[in-house]
Amino acid sequence: MAKSDSLQLRDMRPSAEKEGKIFSLLITSKEYGILRAGDAKLSPPPVRLLQHEAFEKFAAMDHQPQVTVYHFVIYENMRSQLRSGALGAGVGGVLGGLIGNAMASHDASSQTSIVDERTFSSTSDEYLRGMYTSTENPDKASVYIIYIDTDIDGKKVFTRTVASMKPHGDQNPFADGVRLAIKNHLSRYEVGAMATAATASVAPTAPTVTSAAPATTADASTQASQTAPTDGATMSMAQSVANQLRCGAVRADGNSIFVASCGSYDVAIDCGDGSCHPTHTVSTKGNQ
């Protein structure tokens, strides 16, 4: 593995992503059961594994690519099992028999998807990044949710992987999940295409965004009429986000803001840029 040290990699992650964090130990908290795993949990650390796997993948190229890591952060979502008492003995030997069954037969590659960087960055409550959808995890098994954001020779890719905590034999499920996330992330880079681009000196490709850039004040009304979905469609998009967070029906709270009730708190959902994403929680005090 030492030979892969020669691959140049810049670690530009926020410092918080390198540190572990338990968001809440209070079972009634909306943040309960979500953890951020720090670099110290795995040896070698996740970014070092990414460096090694990138070195192996691009070994056939006539030059070593330039790799920049903007995000590599791992969340552990054990909310359902912790609240039901299934993990009362701790995250240890009983884990394999109690969790992960719902995801065991899933196609590993289907669990990795492309992330909208603006949605990721605008999520003010970090624990929300550790949530999963009912489609990804129908039985609410405990899972790792792994975000990787890299730029390799000018091509930027941001992925999210949902990996089971279920051990397979003597394998470490955490290490397996990280390796799966790295493998699926790097599969978004085609060696042949990158080599051709480098030879032809093609300028770096800008990352694809899912919606148009915000309009200026002068042309906002024109652009909105051309690109914005109908009111019903926007509410449907907002409701889909609310469903993913296991919240109730959404209600309009402005031109592009919706609010969904989540029991002891509300979540604000912003649909102002052609896509909907949660932004922050709202106190329920005073709500009708």
Side-chain angles (χ1 to χ4, degrees):
M1 189 171 180
K3 61 182 180 180
S4 59
D5 280 331
S6 61
L7 179 71
Q8 296 185 34
L9 181 147
R10 292 193 304 157
D11 187 351
M12 303 295 290
R13 293 177 297 160
S15 58
E17 293 188 1
K18 306 173 186 179
E19 304 296 331
K21 179 178 179 179
I22 299 174
F23 290 100
S24 178
L25 293 173
L26 184 63
I27 195 170
T28 56
S29 170
K30 62 183 181 293
E31 299 179 342
Y32 181 74
I34 311 293
L35 296 78
R36 187 202 312 128
D39 285 359
K41 186 166 182 176
L42 189 64
S43 181
V47 169
R48 178 67 182 93
L49 286 176
L50 173 63
Q51 181 186 28
H52 177 72
E53 292 301 324
F55 176 85
E56 294 288 334
K57 179 178 178 70
F58 301 117
M61 292 178 60
D62 59 3
H63 74 287
Q64 284 194 349
Q66 301 291 319
V67 180
T68 302
V69 181
Y70 293 104
H71 296 285
F72 197 146
V73 60
I74 305 165
Y75 298 97
E76 302 178 27
N77 188 325
M78 300 179 285
R79 171 179 291 179
S80 181
Q81 279 68 33
L82 286 172
R83 279 185 170 162
S84 65
L87 294 184
V91 183
V94 299
L95 189 62
L98 296 173
I99 65 175
N101 295 322
M103 299 186 64
S105 62
H106 286 192
D107 180 353
S109 63
S110 70
Q111 295 302 296
T112 296
S113 58
I114 292 295
V115 172
D116 181 345
E117 185 173 1
R118 290 182 299 171
T119 300
F120 178 88
S121 300
S122 64
T123 303
S124 58
D125 292 316
E126 185 186 357
Y127 82 94
L128 291 172
R129 296 172 182 164
M131 302 294 284
Y132 50 74
T133 67
S134 57
T135 301
E136 293 170 327
N137 190 10
D139 287 355
K140 302 180 182 179
S142 293
V143 293
Y144 302 111
I145 299 178
I146 305 167
Y147 294 89
I148 306 177
D149 179 16
T150 61
D151 184 302
I152 302 181
D153 274 3
K155 179 177 180 180
K156 202 167 187 295
V157 174
F158 199 167
T159 60
R160 173 182 178 273
T161 296
V162 180
S164 173
M165 284 188 179
K166 181 180 180 181
H168 295 279
D170 295 331
Q171 298 297 312
N172 181 331
F174 183 72
D176 286 347
V178 172
R179 292 191 185 97
L180 170 66
I182 292 173
K183 175 184 176 183
N184 290 351
H185 180 84
L186 291 177
S187 71
R188 306 284 177 164
Y189 293 94
E190 297 182 11
V191 176
M194 292 179 65
T196 301
T199 301
S201 299
V202 175
T205 303
T208 301
V209 296
T210 58
S211 58
T216 62
T217 302
D219 64 358
S221 59
T222 300
Q223 183 174 355
S225 65
Q226 294 175 343
T227 64
T230 63
D231 289 345
T234 304
M235 179 168 286
S236 177
M237 291 165 59
Q239 187 62 59
S240 177
V241 173
N243 292 342
Q244 293 175 20
L245 299 175
R246 297 189 180 83
C247 297
V250 298
R251 59 184 184 276
D253 189 30
N255 292 334
S256 62
I257 301 297
F258 295 85
V259 175
S261 177
C262 305
S264 61
Y265 63 97
D266 291 351
V267 169
I269 300 171
D270 186 356
C271 299
D273 59 357
S275 63
C276 296
H277 52 268
T279 58
H280 60 277
T281 57
V282 180
S283 172
T284 57
K285 182 178 179 180
N287 285 353
Q288 300 297 320

